[in-house]
Amino acid sequence: MEHRLFVIGKLFTTALALVIAYQAYRGYQRHHTQLLLYVAAGFALVGLGGLLEGVLFEILQVSIFEAGFVAALVTAAGMLSILYALYAPNP
């Protein structure tokens, strides 16, 4: 049961991150502000990082260390994208 709750939590977190990414992308389309595109890409990467960990571990049978490491790299790339959008000068 604990494993199932963990999977549900990961899927819920991924879904929230992808909804935020979609809304940021819609904002980019409306306002043509490139920084919103970085926010959208960042949240998409953050959400997919968590999902990727589960896929690598459960389906591809990669070790939990390797799966967590890859997920951490993808999530960190997403956070860097969001951080760039927050601190970059507005063109």
Side-chain angles (χ1 to χ4, degrees), residues 73-87:
L73 288 178
V74 173
T75 302
M79 289 185 181
L80 284 172
S81 180
I82 295 168
L83 193 63
Y84 175 77
L86 291 173
Y87 286 103

Side-chain angles (χ1 to χ4, degrees), residues 24-63:
Y25 182 72
R26 284 184 57 213
Y28 163 73
Q29 287 181 322
R30 277 194 306 265
H31 302 289
H32 302 290
T33 304
Q34 189 175 10
L35 295 177
L36 280 174
L37 192 57
Y38 286 104
V39 171
F43 273 103
L45 286 171
V46 167
L48 292 176
L51 185 65
L52 182 64
E53 181 181 16
V55 169
L56 288 174
F57 181 69
E58 294 289 335
I59 297 173
L60 299 179
Q61 302 297 313
V62 175
S63 75

